[in-house]
Each structure stands twice: as structure tokens, then as C-alpha cells.
Amino acid sequence: MKISAVVRTEGACDHYRAVQPFESIKATTDIDTSILRLSGRPESVQEALEADVMLLPRVANEEWLKIMSDWKNIGKKVVVDFDDDIFNVSPFSPHYEDHGLESFTSTKNGIEVKLWEAGKNLDVEKNKKSLDIIKKALALADMVTVTTPILAEAYKPYSDNVVVLPNCIDLDLWQKMDLKSNDEIRLFWAGGSSHYEDWLIMTEVLPVIMDKYPQVKLVFMGMWEFAFKDIDPKRIERHKWVHMSAYPYKVASLNPTIGMIPLVDNQFNRAKSPIKWVEMGALEVPCVTSLVSPYKEIGTPHNGIFIENNSVNGWIKGLSLLIEDSVLRAKMGGYAKKTVENHFDCKKNAHLWIDAYETLLDKPVPEKFAKVGTYGW
């Protein structure tokens, strides 16, 4: 079996859904894999054409839909991968601009704010067309792969072959560093601009924690500045994003003591993967996490603290407990590492990708795609 993946970006999505799984397959088997980077080597196009199975992340335009058809016309099996529920993007996410289908007004404390207005900052017709293309791609694909069972349910209406392949990490790269210890407690979070709602949770929590514990420092990669308006800037570290190849080392070098993973319980968030928790667990960093999917499925009383209903008091108590108890931090961090080793090791789980792709090759090519066609680059 020869397999090839198309990679369009150097971000976390393509890394976890294409690059890392294929590197793990290459490292643990004799299966021939290749990565087609759109800005990469010209010969990678030929390597892709020689593959039996082609992986395409996030097909969302006519060009890639045409390429899918062309690949199928020459007998290739095509897999489409999604790691978010693009049919239920939160209007508080900037990605609503690309997937939203109606205007949205936010109301808080009696004040209304028009976040999205059709015809102004929201092109509904364009987004409908994009979602229709995605639905066609899902129907055309031989297989659709996703990160969790909940996300699988979101895509099953559009494909009769949806397979769960969990986001995993390379434990050879995610290694705790032996750094000099001190009395500082480093609360860590990394995330992008789609987490506005999630960080609203922390605006009432962090000022209390920072006032209560002078040894605490906030360590951040990403947003949100509004959460820090009542906190001394000298007690905040802000770090820029780095390339995914450097990301595990960068996070480990920041020496996080406790991870914070706030998440609002909504349809879009429930379809996410628990990758933030998995990354922290690999470094033996205990987390205080919202008790919502996808985290409640992996949480136990031993491997972390999980906050019901995102209560402010619950968050304050959970963070306080870990800040004050170094022994508990070590125990929970150790159990979290075991959870990651048992369930989210990319090399141990490489067989999941292999097993899924091999089922495709056992199936005959549908008659309408059995003819030889032209390749549409």
C-alpha cells in the first residue's frame, strides 16, 4: 500500500491530521508514505499520483472537489479529513465569517452588540456555497476521518463511511525538561482567537487567584488580553507562536506548573479533540479543565481536576488546590502521562490509520469512477 497526504499549511491541524500520522506510519512500518506540500518539491506531485490512497484535509472549494474527482477517475481512494464541526461554528469565533449562515446579535447586561450582519461583515450566500461544496466532498470521498465519536456524528449525515482517528502526539518530542525549580507557580494556556467565549470564564477567576497567590505567574501563548485587565502586567508572560516542529520544545521550555483549559459547553466545542490536555499530560503537567466533552471522556478523579458547569467558585477551588499541593500536582501529572501513553501515543496508534486505509483497498472501485480520466492540476 502506498499512501499520500496533501498538506496546505504548516499549522497544528495539518500536523496532527496528516504529517505526524504519516511520519508515524513510516517509522513503524514498511508502508510507503509521502507528503505533498503545495509549496514543496515538484516531484512530490508524482509521488502523490503513485499512491493508492490520497488524504485531503478540509476540502472546501471547487478546485479541490475537481481534484478529488480526477483522482477517483484514475482509481485512487480519496480520504477527506475534518477536525472541527464546521456546520456549527460559534458566532463568537472569527471563523464564523467563513461558515456562518445568519446574522447574530450578542446581548449582555441589557446591551446588544451586532457581531455579524448579513450583507455587511457576513456573506451568507458565499458561505452556503462553501458548505455545499464541503457536503459534496464528503459524499464523494471514499472515507471521511475525524477526531472523536461526537464529531463523527456531525459528519455521518453526509457520508456512509466516517472513521474516528484520534489526535495523538509524539512522546519522543513531548518530553518534560529538567529545569531548575523555584517557588513560582506557572499557570499555562495556549490557544487562538476562537476561544473568546472560553476565556470569558476566566475573567472572574484569574484576578482572585493572582491576588490570593503572589507566587503565581500567567504564561500564555495566544489570546486574550481582556482577561488580564485587572492583573499586574509584570506577572504575565506572553509568548509568540512557533513552528509546529518547535512547538513541543517551546512549551516544555516554558516549564508550566499547571495547565488551564476552560471550554464553554456548546455544540462546536463538544466536537473538538482533547489535544490541549494530551499535550500537557505528556509533560506531566496537571490541568484544571472544564468538565465538558471532549475532556470529560478522558478525565478521572486521578488524572486532573475537572470543573462542573464552569462555576467560578469551582475554578478558583480547583486552581487553589493544585497551587497549594505539590504532591497532588505530581500525582495527577503522573496519571495524566499514563493516560496519554496508553491512549494517545502516535506510534502505538499508527495502526488505526493503516487499518482504516486498508479497508478501502478491499473495496472495488465504483463503476462511475472505473474509467481512466485526466488529472486536473
Side-chain angles (χ1 to χ4, degrees), residues 122-355:
L122 185 67
D123 190 335
V124 172
E125 292 306 312
K126 175 182 73 69
N127 291 352
K128 284 182 178 178
K129 182 179 179 180
S130 175
L131 289 173
D132 284 342
I133 291 171
I134 292 171
K135 292 175 184 178
K136 290 177 182 178
L138 294 169
L140 183 61
D142 297 290
M143 176 183 289
V144 176
T145 55
V146 297
T147 55
T148 70
I150 291 177
L151 188 56
E153 292 302 316
Y155 286 94
K156 282 182 179 179
Y158 311 105
S159 170
D160 60 2
N161 190 19
V162 181
V163 176
V164 176
L165 299 175
N167 274 343
C168 300
I169 63 171
D170 188 339
L171 287 166
D172 292 335
L173 301 180
W174 286 89
Q175 293 282 336
K176 186 178 182 68
M177 291 186 178
D178 185 18
L179 300 172
K180 184 178 179 180
S181 61
N182 53 41
D183 294 331
E184 188 174 78
I185 301 294
R186 297 170 65 79
L187 301 185
F188 177 79
W189 182 81
S193 58
S194 64
H195 289 279
Y196 172 82
E197 279 182 290
D198 306 324
W199 267 98
L200 281 177
I201 298 168
M202 306 305 289
T203 56
E204 297 181 65
V205 174
L206 292 180
V208 175
I209 291 296
M210 300 303 284
D211 184 62
K212 186 178 180 182
Y213 300 104
Q215 75 273 34
V216 167
K217 177 168 282 188
L218 297 178
V219 184
F220 263 64
M221 294 180 71
M223 319 295 271
W224 281 89
E225 294 300 318
F226 69 80
F228 309 137
K229 63 180 181 179
D230 298 320
I231 297 172
D232 182 354
K234 294 179 181 179
R235 298 179 64 189
I236 303 170
E237 280 186 18
R238 297 174 176 85
H239 296 269
K240 295 181 179 180
W241 293 111
V242 297
H243 191 277
M244 278 304 299
S245 60
Y247 184 64
Y249 305 101
K250 175 66 175 181
V251 174
S253 74
L254 297 179
N255 199 23
T257 311
I258 300 166
M260 300 177 290
I261 310 178
L263 201 67
V264 169
D265 188 12
N266 60 34
Q267 191 168 357
F268 180 75
N269 282 347
R270 287 192 291 272
K272 287 178 174 289
S273 83
I275 191 63
K276 292 183 186 297
W277 191 95
V278 171
E279 291 171 348
M280 290 292 95
L283 299 177
E284 300 180 51
V285 177
C287 292
V288 182
T289 308
S290 299
L291 184 64
V292 300
S293 296
Y295 297 105
K296 70 179 182 180
E297 286 80 1
I298 61 174
T300 74
H302 304 291
N303 64 13
I305 294 177
F306 298 84
I307 308 303
E308 292 188 41
N309 302 316
N310 275 320
S311 76
V312 171
N313 286 338
W315 269 96
I316 292 171
K317 289 179 180 178
L319 287 169
S320 297
L321 185 61
L322 285 181
I323 289 169
E324 295 173 8
D325 194 334
S326 61
V327 174
L328 182 62
R329 292 199 301 268
K331 286 183 177 179
M332 285 192 167
Y335 277 112
K337 177 70 176 288
K338 288 294 183 183
T339 302
V340 175
E341 290 174 337
N342 291 336
H343 300 288
F344 299 100
D345 181 338
C346 66
K347 291 185 174 65
K348 288 182 181 178
N349 285 340
H351 71 92
L352 298 177
W353 275 256
I354 297 168
D355 294 346

